Amino acid sequence: MKKLIFGCTLMLLGAICGTGWLVAYSSLVEAGAWSSLFNIFPIVGFGRKDGYVVILFYIIAVVGAVIAIRSIKQDK
């Protein structure tokens, strides 16, 4: 049960933090500039250091989901 709670917590926090970082990035656009969230990711756009942080948060969310699913299967 502890692993299930830990996995769900990681999943939620990773998704919330990654989305929050993207929202914060999109609100920092200068006046008159065209912005896209794809510019933050290193693969799609020009790439910034912020993109690596967002990818890290979403990887943490996926790891949390895997831990939670394994815990559910193990408890049966």
Side-chain angles (χ1 to χ4, degrees):
M1 189 64 160
K2 291 180 184 179
K3 287 185 180 181
L4 177 67
I5 294 171
F6 177 67
C8 290
T9 303
L10 278 180
M11 183 176 52
L12 285 173
L13 290 178
I16 289 170
C17 291
T19 305
W21 200 287
L22 286 175
V23 169
Y25 173 75
S26 66
S27 68
L28 293 176
V29 177
E30 297 176 7
W34 289 88
S35 177
S36 171
L37 288 179
F38 290 117
N39 291 338
I40 194 173
F41 295 113
I43 298 169
V44 180
F46 299 108
R48 295 179 43 132
K49 294 179 184 176
D50 296 333
Y52 295 115
V53 175
V54 171
I55 291 172
L56 177 69
F57 280 134
Y58 285 123
I59 288 173
I60 289 172
V62 170
V63 168
V66 169
I67 290 172
I69 291 170
R70 283 188 181 175
S71 174
I72 289 173
K73 288 183 180 179
Q74 189 179 26
D75 287 343
K76 286 185 178 181

